Amino acid sequence: MPTRPTTRSGENLFTKRREPLHFLLWLGIVGSVLIFTVLLGIYIVRKVGPNWYETPLPGIFWFSTVVIILSSISLHEAKEAFQKERFALYRICLGITLFLGMAFVGMQGYGWLHMIEQGFHLRGNPSAGFVYLLTGLHVVHILGGLIFMGVLFREATKNQSYIDSFVYSVNPPNQLKIKLMTTYWHFVDVLWLYLFLFLLYHHTA
């Protein structure tokens, strides 16, 4: 008879209890990927249609790309510091990540304003419309992450003493918050890199 897959502790993988919030996060990530995949597919189809004029991407998008990569690195460092009970470093890295995330949103907004000043509006040019739609939808994902990160930063700054920070860190729900935030933020980082490279390729090809 075939044996059922088990963990090292002998627990049945099919009956193992899973964290529902982690599952919901990944379900949301898969949903977001599907939405962007459909939009990019529509973009490719629409590009060969009439009234398509290429829209040059704002140069600030290059800087915002560097910023979001740095934010992903700083959040990784924050998670490592949290796990190693280096709580002061955790607060610093989390604050840096929060600042870089807000800077990214500001840079995207500046890029949109630059496009408008150059005459690339939502109406009349499908190419520009797709740039606004794709980057704007991504910013919505970033804003959702910033709200949750702001809550984490507020909780981190409330626990200034080592004892308070340690008690906070050993609480499983708090550990889960850090894991969920890190997973989500890395996702929006990778998502932006893919969108930026996609748009860069199609707007220069």
Side-chain angles (χ1 to χ4, degrees):
M1 266 182 87
T3 58
R4 296 179 180 179
T6 59
T7 62
R8 289 185 178 180
S9 60
E11 186 177 6
N12 191 319
L13 286 173
F14 294 120
T15 59
K16 180 183 177 182
R17 185 176 180 273
R18 290 171 173 77
E19 171 51 54
L21 292 179
H22 225 143
F23 173 76
L24 289 175
L25 174 62
W26 278 106
L27 192 63
I29 288 175
V30 171
S32 295
V33 170
L34 289 176
I35 291 173
F36 278 97
T37 300
V38 171
L39 290 175
L40 295 179
I42 296 173
Y43 177 101
I44 293 173
V45 173
R46 183 61 184 86
K47 184 178 179 181
V48 298
N51 302 322
W52 184 276
Y53 307 100
E54 294 296 352
T55 303
L57 296 180
I60 194 70
F61 281 6
W62 284 96
F63 292 101
S64 65
T65 300
V66 174
V67 165
I68 199 171
I69 292 174
L70 291 176
S71 74
S72 203
I73 295 173
S74 62
L75 184 58
H76 173 77
E77 292 299 318
K79 180 184 177 184
E80 290 290 313
F82 183 83
Q83 294 173 339
K84 296 177 181 178
E85 301 176 13
R86 302 171 64 185
F87 301 117
L89 180 60
Y90 165 68
R91 287 190 290 270
I92 292 173
C93 290
L94 191 62
I96 291 173
T97 307
L98 187 61
F99 171 78
L100 291 174
M102 292 187 292
F104 176 84
V105 173
M107 289 179 176
Q108 300 303 86
Y110 180 85
W112 298 333
L113 290 176
H114 179 74
M115 288 175 60
I116 293 173
E117 291 175 354
Q118 296 296 317
F120 298 106
H121 304 284
L122 282 170
R123 294 184 177 180
N125 187 352
S127 174
F130 270 103
V131 173
Y132 288 120
L133 175 62
L134 292 170
T135 59
L137 187 57
H138 178 263
V139 164
V140 171
H141 284 68
I142 290 288
L143 290 175
L146 287 176
I147 292 173
F148 189 65
M149 196 183 303
V151 173
L152 288 180
F153 185 68
R154 181 176 63 83
E155 292 176 351
T157 53
K158 283 172 56 180
N159 301 307
Q160 291 290 334
S161 69
Y162 178 84
I163 297 298
D164 290 339
S165 298
F166 177 77
V167 172
Y168 178 87
S169 70
V170 296
N171 190 335
N174 295 329
Q175 296 173 356
L176 179 62
K177 290 179 186 178
I178 304 299
K179 291 179 181 178
L180 294 177
M181 183 69 252
T182 305
T183 300
Y184 180 80
W185 198 256
H186 288 337
F187 161 68
V188 295
D189 187 349
V190 173
L191 177 61
W192 170 251
L193 289 176
Y194 183 80
L195 287 176
F196 179 64
L197 293 175
F198 177 92
L199 293 172
L200 188 66
Y201 172 78
H202 285 276
H203 284 255
T204 56

